[in-house]
């Protein structure tokens, strides 16, 4: 076994190679530059856990920092990686490095070189290319490196070399590709979803009045990690009582009271892919009447939205369906006055439901891909993955019935668009009142 067989003996690199080939075809001609993320310091010399750039990960699966993918389209398309050299001394301190030769063999690049050759390689590869496919403006250090390389070619015009005449955003092509998940992505996302659903079940099973929110967060993280998830996909929200009405509450440091509802929005990241799930449940295992009223309204809104996640629907159709159900329910619960048409027209429902019903999901929790093409919402087609996450948040106010004050509910699942409609890949986390109460009751026996 060669020394570089590390990640790769577990990882199928073929899907990454196929994506590179597809991107090269779509480019037609020119040279593309896709750098990975830099390591970032958190404080002093301690770094944040390293996470590759999402675009770079999508096209390579290569896990090390200080690397860049260069792709040359045209008659003899090729993919080139520049990465760190092997380094016996650094590998003692920080661990294994592929080195360029190991990376080329393990990940299937046509060529690979040391990242130390970057300046010269870029200038060499930019020369006489029609177009440079590079996303300007996301990383100032890479923008500067690209500028240096362009100017190096420009300085050689009298030697007959010319720099690319056009610069195009390579991410626009990759965004379209990322929108439709391939089989390997769907497999990873199903596994991430299953781990996350298990973590929500564990949270329901272990929550007791009197515990702190962070204790429940610890249960989630424990469940993510013990199943191989590398990180949470985003900072977990564990919000008890009134905290559930703060949409991005992440302090997670309050004591949970008997009678609180707890809203948990948490998902793991597995092998680069996010899951994104919200469940809301009662700390003591029994929904009160008003809590159940609001909860069942949000669940009905989610059902209405899910029914519209199918090929041919527009991205916004589930949102419109959820809003209709929520608005009527708010009228029925006397949170709002007036007619359904009036409430929809004035958007007064936004007092209690102020966010959207979903977003694309994938390598990023708010994943790449357009939501609109011109005036039309993006059409749902098989392989697209989106969340469906209606909610209702009732802060104390003079004109809302007091019985509903401080109730915040969101129910969020991850949906894969299929030929027939959609598959909810997070359905292992219970969400009817009866199923949640049964799970909590069983866990207390
Ligand atoms: N957890 C982020 C979101 O639901 O969009
Ligand atoms: Mn979420
Ligand atoms: Mn979400």
């Amino acid at each position: 076994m060669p020394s570089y067989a590390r990640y790769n003996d577990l990882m199928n690199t073929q899907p990454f190679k196929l994506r590179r080939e597809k991107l090269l075809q779509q480019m037609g001609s020119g040279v593309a530059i896709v750098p990975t993320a830099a390591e970032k310091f958190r404080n002093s010399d301690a770094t944040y856990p390293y996470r590759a750039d999402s675009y770079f990960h999508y096209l390579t699966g290569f896990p090390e920092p200080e690397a860049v993918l260069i792709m040359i389209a045209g008659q003899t398309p090729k993919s080139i990686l520049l990465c760190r050299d092997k380094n016996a001394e650094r590998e003692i301190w920080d661990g294994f490095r592929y080195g360029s030769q190991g990376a080329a063999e393990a990940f299937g690049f046509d060529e690979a070189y040391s990242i130390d050759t970057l300046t010269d390689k870029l200038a060499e590869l930019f020369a006489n290319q029609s177009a440079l496919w590079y996303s300007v403006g996301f990383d100032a250090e890479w923008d500067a490196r690209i500028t240096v390389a362009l100017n190096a070619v420009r300085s050689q015009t009298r030697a007959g070399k010319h720099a690319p005449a056009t610069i195009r955003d390579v991410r626009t092509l990759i965004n379209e590709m990322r929108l439709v998940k391939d089989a390997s992505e769907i497999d990873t996302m199903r596994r991430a979803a299953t781990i996350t659903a298990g973590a929500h079940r564990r949270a329901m099973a272990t929550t007791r009045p009197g515990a702190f929110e962070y204790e429940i967060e610890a249960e989630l993280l424990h469940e993510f990690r013990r199943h191989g998830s590398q990180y949470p996909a985003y900072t977990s929200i564990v919000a008890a009582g009134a905290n559930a009405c703060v949409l991005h509450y992440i302090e997670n440091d309050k004591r949970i009271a008997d009678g609180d509802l707890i809203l948990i929005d948490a998902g793991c990241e597995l092998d680069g892919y996010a899951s994104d799930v919200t469940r809301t449940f009662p700390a003591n295992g029994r929904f009160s009447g008003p809590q159940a009223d609001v909860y069942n309204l949000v669940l009905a809104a989610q059902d209405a939205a899910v029914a519209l996640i199918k090929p041919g629907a527009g991205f916004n159709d589930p949102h419109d369906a959820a809003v209709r159900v929520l608005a009527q329910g708010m009228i029925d619960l006397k949170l709002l006055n007036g007619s359904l048409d009036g409430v929809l027209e004035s958007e007064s429902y936004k007092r209690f439901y102020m966010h959207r019903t979903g977003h694309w999901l994938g390598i990023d929790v708010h994943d790449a891909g357009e939501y609109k093409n011109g005036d039309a919402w993006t059409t749902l087609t098989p392989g697209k993955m989106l969340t469906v996450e209606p909610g209702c948040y009732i802060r104390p106010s003079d004109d809302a019935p007091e019985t509903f004050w401080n109730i915040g509910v969101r129910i969020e699942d991850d949906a894969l668009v299929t030929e027939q409609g959609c598959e909810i890949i997070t359905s292992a986390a219970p969400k009817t009142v009866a199923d949640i109460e049964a799970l909590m009751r069983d866990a207390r026996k």
Side-chain angles (χ1 to χ4, degrees):
M1 191 66 85
S3 64
Y4 50 75
R6 194 183 83 156
Y7 283 89
N8 192 42
D9 47 1
L10 299 171
M11 183 170 137
N12 176 8
T13 56
Q14 195 62 18
F16 300 94
K17 200 156 186 274
L18 291 174
R19 291 174 204 149
R20 292 196 294 273
E21 287 167 7
K22 188 167 168 192
L23 179 60
L24 281 163
Q25 271 173 14
Q26 297 197 1
M27 287 164 60
S29 64
V31 52
I33 305 295
V34 183
T36 195
E39 287 183 289
K40 290 194 176 60
F41 287 101
R42 182 176 182 275
N43 60 298
S44 181
D45 59 353
T47 52
Y48 284 102
Y50 182 71
R51 183 3 173 115
D53 172 77
S54 295
Y55 293 88
F56 180 85
H57 176 72
Y58 181 72
L59 295 171
T60 70
F62 187 69
E64 296 179 18
E66 297 184 75
V68 57
L69 173 67
I70 305 173
M71 301 174 70
I72 318 271
Q75 296 214 312
T76 46
K78 61 183 173 185
S79 295
I80 304 169
L81 184 81
L82 269 54
C83 66
R84 301 184 303 196
D85 292 320
K86 286 200 74 66
N87 181 325
E89 170 72 6
R90 287 316 319 164
E91 291 185 53
I92 289 171
W93 289 85
D94 304 326
F96 177 84
R97 297 180 176 197
Y98 280 93
S100 50
Q101 191 198 338
E105 290 182 30
F107 292 82
F109 298 107
D110 299 301
E111 297 172 20
Y113 304 98
S114 166
I115 191 74
D116 296 342
T117 67
L118 180 73
T119 310
D120 291 344
K121 267 286 164 216
L122 286 184
E124 176 193 323
L125 296 170
F126 284 2
N128 303 332
Q129 290 290 343
S130 56
L132 168 62
W133 293 88
Y134 171 73
S135 301
V136 178
F138 289 100
D139 185 321
E141 289 183 8
W142 273 99
D143 289 355
R145 291 179 190 126
I146 298 290
T147 303
V148 167
L150 282 172
N151 286 329
V153 189
R154 287 169 184 148
S155 72
Q156 297 177 68
T157 21
R158 284 183 300 282
K161 296 195 180 165
H162 67 82
T166 51
I167 298 182
R168 305 186 62 181
D169 187 351
V170 68
R171 291 191 182 191
T172 58
L173 294 182
I174 309 173
N175 286 345
E176 284 305 297
M177 290 173 60
R178 283 176 56 182
L179 200 42
V180 180
K181 272 63 184 173
D182 63 33
S184 109
E185 296 183 285
I186 291 170
D187 175 65
T188 305
M189 291 187 74
R190 280 209 179 96
R191 288 186 290 121
T194 302
I195 295 170
T196 292
H200 282 268
R201 284 200 306 269
R202 185 184 180 103
M204 291 174 191
T206 52
T207 293
R208 301 284 183 279
F212 284 90
E213 292 162 338
Y214 54 72
E215 295 179 66
I216 314 308
E217 181 183 12
E219 299 291 342
L220 297 162
L221 297 177
H222 175 91
E223 197 68 9
F224 290 170
R225 193 68 182 115
R226 83 191 188 95
H227 288 291
S229 150
Q230 291 84 357
Y231 325 99
Y234 52 91
T235 306
S236 306
I237 296 171
V238 180
N243 299 332
C245 296
V246 179
L247 295 180
H248 290 162
Y249 176 82
I250 53 170
E251 284 83 3
N252 302 350
D253 61 358
K254 307 296 185 308
R255 199 187 278 279
I256 298 165
D258 202 344
D260 279 352
L261 270 188
I262 302 170
L263 183 157
I264 296 182
D265 185 344
C268 74
E269 180 179 300
L270 180 72
D271 298 344
Y273 283 81
S275 52
D276 184 7
V277 172
T278 308
R279 288 293 182 265
T280 310
F281 59 91
N284 61 18
R286 297 279 301 173
F287 285 87
S288 72
Q291 287 171 349
D293 286 343
V294 178
Y295 188 88
N296 284 322
L297 170 59
V298 175
L299 190 56
Q302 201 206 35
D303 286 343
V306 168
L308 289 178
I309 302 180
K310 55 187 177 191
F315 174 80
N316 209 46
D317 292 350
H319 176 69
D320 285 341
V323 163
R324 265 192 105 72
V325 172
L326 287 168
Q328 183 60 56
M330 291 168 193
I331 296 167
D332 297 343
L333 294 176
K334 308 217 170 343
L335 291 165
L336 294 176
N337 295 314
S339 66
L340 177 60
D341 286 344
V343 165
L344 293 174
E345 170 76 23
S346 68
E347 299 187 335
S348 55
Y349 63 84
K350 285 191 172 172
R351 241 180 86 194
F352 306 111
Y353 182 49
M354 57 298 279
H355 61 76
R356 303 196 50 82
T357 304
H359 50 82
W360 305 128
L361 182 72
I363 298 180
D364 294 309
V365 63
H366 296 156
D367 205 35
E370 297 297 336
Y371 289 90
K372 269 193 168 181
N373 301 301
D375 284 340
W377 291 98
T378 301
T379 305
L380 301 184
T381 53
K384 290 179 181 165
M385 192 79 78
L386 64 158
T387 66
V388 50
E389 50 178 304
C392 184
Y393 315 91
I394 307 160
R395 291 160 169 274
S397 71
D398 292 343
D399 52 350
E402 193 170 343
T403 166
F404 296 120
W405 287 5
N406 293 323
I407 292 178
V409 174
R410 177 163 66 255
I411 306 170
E412 174 174 29
D413 283 284
D414 303 344
L416 168 67
V417 184
T418 61
E419 300 287 345
Q420 296 77 31
C422 73
E423 176 191 332
I424 300 298
I425 63 172
T426 45
S427 58
K431 64 182 170 186
T432 64
V433 165
D435 286 349
I436 290 172
E437 289 186 347
L439 183 153
M440 297 185 75
R441 199 166 48 240
D442 289 348
R444 280 147 205 258
K445 274 183 186 149

